[in-house]
Amino acid sequence: QLPTGLYKKVLVILHDSILPYMNEPTLMIDFLTVAYGIGGAISLLALNGLFILIHQHNLEYPDFFKKLYSLLDPSIYHVKYRARFFHLADLFLSSSHLPAYLVAAFIKRLSRLALTAPPEALLMVIPFICNLFRRHPACKVLVHRPNGPEGMSEDPYIMEEEEPSESRALESSLWEIQSLQNHYHPDVAKAAAVLNQSLSEIEDDISGLLELSGYELFDKEVKKKAVDVPLEFEQVRGLFGKKNDIFAEHFTLD
């Protein structure tokens, strides 16, 4: 048992400063699987080490994706390690052999949580979801379902279900992304509108969006050149702006 602070410090450097120098990296399996089961930020940080053990040392973790799915909660768009998590989630969900129900569950849960996410996170997760559709065309039924959300009396997706296969995500539709098309931030609305068109085969590069911050978005808006918008095309005459008006005879705007 380690204090939470020490757990985080060890897990942050484990994948590049410890595992490469061990003769038997598999000795860390128990440590990492226990850390992965703790939850919260510690689970997120354990993903790096587990990724190395799974891809390079043949670690089999039957409930890995179930646990990864359970890590998706509202805080995932706000935590300090958001970029690290989505970078690894992108790698884990890159295999074309994953079942459609599993990928659909991730897409649906990410979309539902996106309803309360900040703009900088939305500009990252919407291309992330589009990439999942490109890799797994069977999931496009969520976008192209006949009648869409209008044809449903209620969303069959079960948000509280911990088992992705039981969440009924494939029976649902992405009304959440449709809602984001009316987002107050124009860049988010534009990004969400991409799903209204047929997606290109080339995946979006999200590496530059993982570290996007609210400050950068604000700074970008501030630096935009202001466009002079004409507010009145006809010079006002009279109190109510009409030329031949009784008020124009007796009142002037000086």
Side-chain angles (χ1 to χ4, degrees), residues 1-247:
Q1 295 295 324
L2 296 176
T4 302
L6 186 56
Y7 241 130
K8 292 180 180 179
K9 289 180 180 179
V10 170
L11 291 171
V12 163
I13 64 171
L14 185 69
H15 66 287
D16 59 357
S17 299
I18 298 176
L19 287 179
Y21 303 101
M22 294 182 67
N23 291 328
E24 295 184 44
T26 51
L27 292 174
M28 300 301 294
I29 288 177
D30 288 340
F31 174 75
L32 285 168
T33 51
V34 169
Y36 190 46
I38 290 177
I42 292 178
S43 290
L44 297 184
L45 294 174
L47 277 173
N48 263 117
L50 283 174
F51 175 75
I52 292 175
L53 293 180
I54 290 173
H55 281 258
Q56 298 180 11
H57 302 282
N58 301 318
L59 169 64
E60 292 188 10
Y61 197 136
D63 293 329
F64 176 81
F65 284 103
K66 178 181 177 181
K67 180 61 182 175
L68 185 64
Y69 181 73
S70 70
L71 291 179
L72 299 180
D73 58 30
S75 68
I76 201 65
Y77 292 125
H78 303 271
V79 292
K80 178 181 178 181
Y81 309 108
R82 183 187 72 197
R84 179 191 294 247
F85 172 79
F86 278 99
H87 169 69
L88 290 170
D90 188 47
L91 292 175
F92 284 124
L93 294 172
S94 62
S95 172
S96 58
H97 298 292
L98 294 175
Y101 75 82
L102 179 67
V103 179
F106 275 91
I107 291 175
K108 184 64 180 177
R109 194 173 183 93
L110 286 170
S111 302
R112 180 67 60 86
L113 296 174
L115 293 174
T116 57
E120 61 270 20
L122 292 174
L123 291 175
M124 175 271 301
V125 78
I126 293 174
F128 182 89
I129 290 173
C130 290
N131 285 347
L132 291 180
F133 279 123
R134 292 183 176 99
R135 297 170 191 167
H136 308 276
C139 295
K140 289 184 179 179
V141 66
L142 293 174
V143 178
H144 303 296
R145 188 176 300 284
N147 300 324
E150 293 82 3
M152 295 182 176
S153 57
E154 61 181 18
D155 193 340
Y157 174 67
I158 307 172
M159 182 72 172
E160 299 75 20
E161 178 57 55
E162 296 182 358
E163 183 62 56
S165 60
E166 303 294 331
S167 65
R168 300 179 63 189
L170 268 179
E171 302 173 32
S172 183
S173 68
L174 281 193
W175 60 265
E176 297 91 349
I177 302 298
Q178 187 173 342
S179 299
L180 292 177
Q181 292 174 6
N182 299 310
H183 197 273
Y184 69 86
H185 197 291
D187 289 348
V188 174
K190 182 179 178 181
V194 170
L195 283 176
N196 290 341
Q197 308 161 3
S198 58
L199 294 173
S200 63
E201 295 183 1
I202 302 175
E203 291 190 10
D204 295 323
D205 183 11
I206 64 169
S207 58
L209 302 172
L210 294 175
E211 300 281 359
L212 191 64
S213 67
Y215 174 80
E216 290 174 320
L217 284 185
F218 183 80
D219 194 48
K220 178 183 176 183
E221 292 295 325
V222 169
K223 290 181 179 178
K224 282 184 178 179
K225 292 183 178 180
V227 180
D228 293 330
V229 180
L231 300 179
E232 185 62 64
F233 296 96
E234 186 177 328
Q235 186 176 356
V236 176
R237 299 172 183 268
L239 187 62
F240 293 109
K242 296 180 180 179
K243 291 182 180 180
N244 302 317
D245 182 282
I246 189 172
F247 290 100

